[in-house]
Amino acid sequence: MRQTGIAHPPLPLPPNAQSENLEAFHRWLSEAIPLVPSLGIKRMRWQGEVLNWDLALSANLNDKGTGFGGGLAAQTTLIGWCWVTLWLRAQGRQQDVVVADAGQRFLAPVRGDYRLVCRPRDAAASQRLDTMLAEKGRGRIALLQELYCGDTLCLQAQGDYVVLPSTTVEA
């Protein structure tokens, strides 16, 4: 059982960028954030600079039998946090990530299982983040999240995520 005020131990970095085990990451995430097992995440895929999740609607129903907006908002925020965390891990970095700003626009009801897609807002965003981290040890990136039910775009979201300076103390 997690204790408030006590950080969860980080997941060890993979030996190289191509060896990230997303199933192990999902298990760690489910321990680190107690809400995660309730979100209905069935599968994660990391493809280039795009993170995809397949999700079950049954875990996120509202009183009308469609997707609960608050839960969908939480999922879009979390997938952005995961995008930054996985991107950092691929760079061999283990730093804390926080959401600084987030917003959603609901376009259509979610009536079945769905997928979330997360990527940088623009093509140069990850390069700018890499430069900020190299120069300052911290940085910020803007991400977009889209939720699709079949081919229907049901939700567009965006978030700004901050990578905090490393707190590693040298002996």
Side-chain angles (χ1 to χ4, degrees):
M1 175 69 79
R2 290 287 314 279
Q3 298 290 319
T4 58
I6 309 254
H8 190 73
L11 184 66
L13 288 171
N16 63 59
Q18 287 74 36
S19 67
E20 184 72 61
N21 180 331
L22 291 180
E23 290 177 12
F25 179 79
H26 187 197
R27 282 191 303 276
W28 171 84
L29 189 65
S30 295
E31 295 169 4
I33 303 173
L35 176 67
V36 169
S38 303
L39 295 179
I41 302 168
K42 298 190 297 186
R43 188 171 122 187
M44 295 183 180
R45 291 180 314 285
W46 181 252
Q47 300 163 306
E49 290 207 341
V50 179
L51 180 59
N52 290 280
W53 286 359
D54 296 325
L55 298 111
L57 177 60
S58 60
N60 199 28
L61 287 173
N62 65 16
D63 59 316
K64 295 161 207 61
T66 60
F68 172 60
L72 301 175
Q75 291 169 341
T76 61
T77 301
L78 182 62
I79 196 172
W81 182 91
C82 288
W83 188 100
V84 179
T85 299
L86 288 167
W87 183 88
L88 287 167
R89 292 172 60 75
Q91 313 310 307
R93 301 180 79 101
Q94 194 149 20
Q95 289 177 251
D96 287 331
V97 176
V98 296
V99 62
D101 184 49
Q104 304 82 31
R105 191 168 148 234
F106 297 88
L107 305 170
V110 177
R111 300 185 188 276
D113 290 354
Y114 53 98
R115 73 183 186 285
L116 268 174
V117 179
C118 182
R119 66 180 178 279
R121 190 175 296 168
D122 64 74
S126 59
Q127 181 58 48
R128 281 193 308 274
L129 177 58
D130 192 47
T131 300
M132 285 185 271
L133 291 170
E135 292 175 357
K136 300 177 182 177
R138 59 184 162 81
R140 187 179 190 121
I141 189 167
L143 300 175
L144 295 176
Q145 300 92 16
E146 295 175 321
L147 185 154
Y148 292 90
C149 191
D151 292 330
T152 303
L153 177 61
C154 298
L155 169 66
Q156 290 177 318
Q158 76 288 326
D160 287 348
Y161 296 82
V162 174
V163 179
L164 301 175
S166 179
T167 57
T168 304
V169 178
E170 304 270 336

